Protein backbone atom coordinates (compact mmCIF):
# COMPACT_ATOMS: atom_id res chain seq x y z
CA UNK A 1 0.00 0.00 0.00
CA UNK A 2 1.04 3.57 -0.62
CA UNK A 3 -0.66 6.91 -0.07
CA UNK A 4 -0.07 10.31 -1.61
CA UNK A 5 -1.51 13.78 -1.50
CA UNK A 6 -0.81 17.48 -1.38
CA UNK A 7 -1.50 19.86 1.52
CA UNK A 8 -5.04 21.19 1.35
CA UNK A 9 -6.30 18.43 -0.98
CA UNK A 10 -7.73 14.97 -0.45
CA UNK A 11 -5.20 12.19 -0.97
CA UNK A 12 -5.06 9.06 -3.05
CA UNK A 13 -4.27 5.46 -2.19
CA UNK A 14 -2.57 2.70 -4.16
CA UNK A 15 -2.56 -1.02 -3.44
CA UNK A 16 -0.43 -3.75 -4.99
CA UNK A 17 -2.08 -7.16 -4.89
CA UNK A 18 -0.09 -10.39 -4.72
CA UNK A 19 -1.14 -11.16 -8.32
CA UNK A 20 0.85 -8.09 -9.52
CA UNK A 21 -2.19 -5.90 -10.19
CA UNK A 22 -2.43 -2.27 -9.02
CA UNK A 23 -5.59 -0.74 -7.57
CA UNK A 24 -6.15 2.98 -6.85
CA UNK A 25 -8.79 5.20 -5.25
CA UNK A 26 -9.25 8.67 -3.78
CA UNK A 27 -8.56 12.11 -5.22
CA UNK A 28 -7.68 11.88 -8.90
CA UNK A 29 -8.04 15.33 -10.46
CA UNK A 30 -4.42 15.24 -11.72
CA UNK A 31 -4.66 11.75 -13.20
CA UNK A 32 -2.81 10.18 -10.26
CA UNK A 33 -5.23 7.24 -10.16
CA UNK A 34 -4.12 6.05 -13.60
CA UNK A 35 -7.68 5.39 -14.71
CA UNK A 36 -7.56 7.38 -17.96
CA UNK A 37 -9.54 10.32 -16.65
CA UNK A 38 -8.88 13.15 -14.23
CA UNK A 39 -11.60 12.06 -11.82
CA UNK A 40 -11.86 10.88 -8.24
CA UNK A 41 -13.39 7.63 -7.00
CA UNK A 42 -14.03 6.15 -3.57
CA UNK A 43 -14.04 2.59 -4.92
CA UNK A 44 -10.74 0.72 -5.42
CA UNK A 45 -10.33 0.40 -9.19
CA UNK A 46 -7.81 -1.70 -11.12
CA UNK A 47 -5.26 0.22 -13.21
CA UNK A 48 -5.35 -1.30 -16.68
CA UNK A 49 -2.50 -1.62 -19.16
CA UNK A 50 0.28 -2.43 -16.70
CA UNK A 51 2.51 -5.51 -16.73
CA UNK A 52 2.79 -7.52 -13.51
CA UNK A 53 4.01 -5.02 -10.91
CA UNK A 54 6.59 -5.63 -8.17
CA UNK A 55 6.54 -2.30 -6.27
CA UNK A 56 4.47 0.90 -5.97
CA UNK A 57 4.90 4.41 -4.59
CA UNK A 58 2.73 7.51 -4.40
CA UNK A 59 3.70 11.17 -4.45
CA UNK A 60 1.75 14.37 -4.06
CA UNK A 61 -0.28 14.08 -7.24
CA UNK A 62 1.50 11.22 -8.98
CA UNK A 63 1.92 7.45 -8.72
CA UNK A 64 4.81 5.14 -9.63
CA UNK A 65 5.16 1.43 -10.28
CA UNK A 66 8.04 -0.92 -11.05
CA UNK A 67 7.18 -3.90 -13.21
CA UNK A 68 8.42 -7.38 -12.41
CA UNK A 69 10.17 -7.11 -15.78
CA UNK A 70 12.08 -4.00 -14.62
CA UNK A 71 9.99 -1.42 -16.49
CA UNK A 72 9.14 1.85 -14.78
CA UNK A 73 5.66 3.37 -14.88
CA UNK A 74 4.46 6.80 -13.74
CA UNK A 75 1.21 8.72 -14.03
CA UNK A 76 -0.44 11.82 -12.64
Amino acid sequence: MAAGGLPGYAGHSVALKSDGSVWTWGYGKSGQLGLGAAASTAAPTKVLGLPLIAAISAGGDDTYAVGRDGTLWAWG
Side-chain angles (χ1 to χ4, degrees):
M1 296 262 330
L6 295 170
Y9 294 90
H12 70 288
S13 299
V14 186
L16 173 60
K17 291 183 64 175
S18 60
D19 66 2
S21 64
V22 175
W23 295 71
T24 61
W25 65 96
Y27 185 76
K29 297 296 183 181
S30 296
Q32 61 268 50
L33 300 182
L35 304 178
S40 300
T41 180
T45 306
K46 184 177 181 179
V47 179
L48 302 176
L50 297 175
L52 297 178
I53 297 298
I56 55 171
S57 180
D61 59 0
D62 40 25
T63 305
Y64 306 92
V66 178
R68 292 182 183 173
D69 61 0
T71 57
L72 301 175
W73 297 81
W75 55 91

